[in-house]
Amino acid sequence: MSGPPPEIDEAGVLLAKLARLGLRAAQHVHDCLLDTTDPDEVARLNAKRRRRP
């Protein structure tokens, strides 16, 4: 072996996971918005999208 294994930054791993989850949620809401023509559904999805940071 050429030395000890690399140190894993747990905070960085958690932040990356959260970023992926947030991106997936935003993509899901966006896809739903594109898939509907019902004005009430669009308003509901838009409100949900705005709550996401």
Side-chain angles (χ1 to χ4, degrees):
M1 292 231 165
S2 61
E7 189 173 316
I8 297 174
D9 177 18
E10 289 184 41
V13 171
L14 287 174
L15 285 173
K17 263 185 173 176
L18 284 172
R20 282 193 305 273
L21 288 173
L23 183 58
R24 256 189 255 149
Q27 185 64 47
H28 174 73
V29 171
H30 180 75
D31 290 345
C32 290
L33 277 167
L34 291 177
D35 199 37
T36 188
T37 56
D38 176 30
D40 292 333
E41 181 72 3
V42 170
R44 186 182 68 76
L45 289 166
N46 193 37
K48 183 183 278 191
R49 185 179 61 172
R50 287 183 193 198
R51 280 184 282 187
R52 297 261 178 221

